[in-house]
């Protein structure tokens, strides 16, 4: 049985159990936080809050979450280790990669492949050895190894920065076997762009989750991507600003009816604290929390004909297959 890297170390893929494939813990604009720390407040209270929220999640039977918080989203592994140590019933898989819809962060801006080639570096793309190191050696001396790769493409499409990151993630996948999740914007069919780039890089779609697929209810488009071998991330349950609970759930129902439970994974894309959202806005998103799938989504799916075995496929078998490299 393959092993999967988690914050507390490797575990057998068979032990992952019920898994939510896209849940953040903290999403932070790090330099804003360092200079305007009032809203974040007391560090230990934030850690306590995360321990409480993740313990409540584990109490529903969820055994594993994948936290795709990478560069651009404020990843800080020592804080995640503090949380993980206090939620022993929950495995946390962390990720590496870079999150942008437009340009690369300035750290990478002038470290271009052209400059690195002139300098005689073996690997022209500086992100590749950084990401490979996170997967094979661990992140920033913590010993915690990344178990997922992450990049993003949104409405602006394949900008030069987005393309650099996506190809770096693809090459890291080929070098390490670590699976990929891509933030996509399915309303503009960015999954088709991911399909082209991954094919050009020689990446098998079965190693790639098209995240946020559930933002769309275009089941023909989603079916085509699933049938091409991609995993569909129905992973924003509770974010019902531009869609509805029923539209998200009905899309899963219809894809199950089409025989595609074996290509879907579920999650909320929730966080214990995300500084992108004014705290005063959160009351308008009452379902956006770690317990929504258990409390609302699964009962709805069962009522609408999704079988217990299809639910197990989406929550247990598919994540084990993705994370275990099967
Ligand atoms: Zn996310």
């Amino acid at each position: 049985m393959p092993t999967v890297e988690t914050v507390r170390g490797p575990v057998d893929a068979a032990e992952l159990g019920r898994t939510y494939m896209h849940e953040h813990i903290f999403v932070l604009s790090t330099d804003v936080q360092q200079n305007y720390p009032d809203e974040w407040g007391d560090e230990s209270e934030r850690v306590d809050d995360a321990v409480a929220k993740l313990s409540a999640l584990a109490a529903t039977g969820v055994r594993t979450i994948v936290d795709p918080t990478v560069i651009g989203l404020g990843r800080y592994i020592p804080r995640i280790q503090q949380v993980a140590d206090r939620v022993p019933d929950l495995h946390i898989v962390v990720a590496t990669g870079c999150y942008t819809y437009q340009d690369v962060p300035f750290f990478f801006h002038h470290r271009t492949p052209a400059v690195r080639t002139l300098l005689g570096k073996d690997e022209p793309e500086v992100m590749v050895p950084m990401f490979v190191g996170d997967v094979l050696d661990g992140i920033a001396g913590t010993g915690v190894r990344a178990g997922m790769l992450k990049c993003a493409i949104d409405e602006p499409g394949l900008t030069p920065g987005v393309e650099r990151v996506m190809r770096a993630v693809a090459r890291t996948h080929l070098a390490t076997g670590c699976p990929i999740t891509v933030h996509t914007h399915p309303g503009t069919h960015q999954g088709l762009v991911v399909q082209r780039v991954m094919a050009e890089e020689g990446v098998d779609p079965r190693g790639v989750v098209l995240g946020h697929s559930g933002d769309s209810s275009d089941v023909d488009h989603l079916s085509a991507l699933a049938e091409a071998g991609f995993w569909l991330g129905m992973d924003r349950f509770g974010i019902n600003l531009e869609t509805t609970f029923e539209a998200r759930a009905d899309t899963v129902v219809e894809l199950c009816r089409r025989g595609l439970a074996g290509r879907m994974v579920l999650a909320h894309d929730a966080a214990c604290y995300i500084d992108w959202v004014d705290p005063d806005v959160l009351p308008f998103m009452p379902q956006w929390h770690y317990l929504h799938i258990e409390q609302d989504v699964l009962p709805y799916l069962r009522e609408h004909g999704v079988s217990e075995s299809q639910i197990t496929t989406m929550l247990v078998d598919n994540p084990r297959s993705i994370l275990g490299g099967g």
Side-chain angles (χ1 to χ4, degrees), residues 200-213:
E200 287 170 2
E201 293 292 336
V203 173
D204 188 326
R206 288 170 293 185
V208 181
V209 181
L210 296 174
H212 312 335
S213 289

Side-chain angles (χ1 to χ4, degrees), residues 16 20 83 101 154 156-157 164 181 193 230 240 246 270 309 312 321:
L16 295 176
Y20 290 170
V83 173
Y101 303 166
D154 205 271
R164 246 186 97 179
T181 189
V193 180
F230 289 98
N240 297 327
E246 289 78 10
S309 109
T312 301
S321 179

Side-chain angles (χ1 to χ4, degrees), residues 236-316:
R236 277 182 154 177
F237 276 105
I239 304 182
N240 297 327
L241 297 174
E242 292 172 28
T243 182
T244 63
F245 166 76
E246 289 78 10
R248 286 188 184 280
D250 288 341
T251 303
V252 173
V253 169
E254 173 59 17
L255 290 168
C256 284
R257 198 191 62 77
R258 294 186 182 199
L260 293 170
R263 305 311 307 163
M264 286 187 280
V265 292
L266 308 182
H268 307 93
D269 199 8
C272 297
Y273 176 75
I274 171 168
D275 68 15
W276 296 14
V277 183
D278 190 307
D280 293 334
V281 169
L282 289 176
F284 296 96
M285 303 177 72
Q287 293 177 311
W288 193 33
H289 58 80
Y290 297 134
L291 308 182
H292 173 50
I293 288 175
E294 175 67 23
Q295 292 175 347
D296 306 305
V297 177
L298 297 183
Y300 185 96
L301 296 182
R302 291 182 184 111
E303 279 165 27
H304 289 77
V306 176
S307 71
E308 214 52 48
S309 109
Q310 287 172 315
I311 289 172
T312 301
T313 296
M314 293 186 283
L315 289 179
V316 180

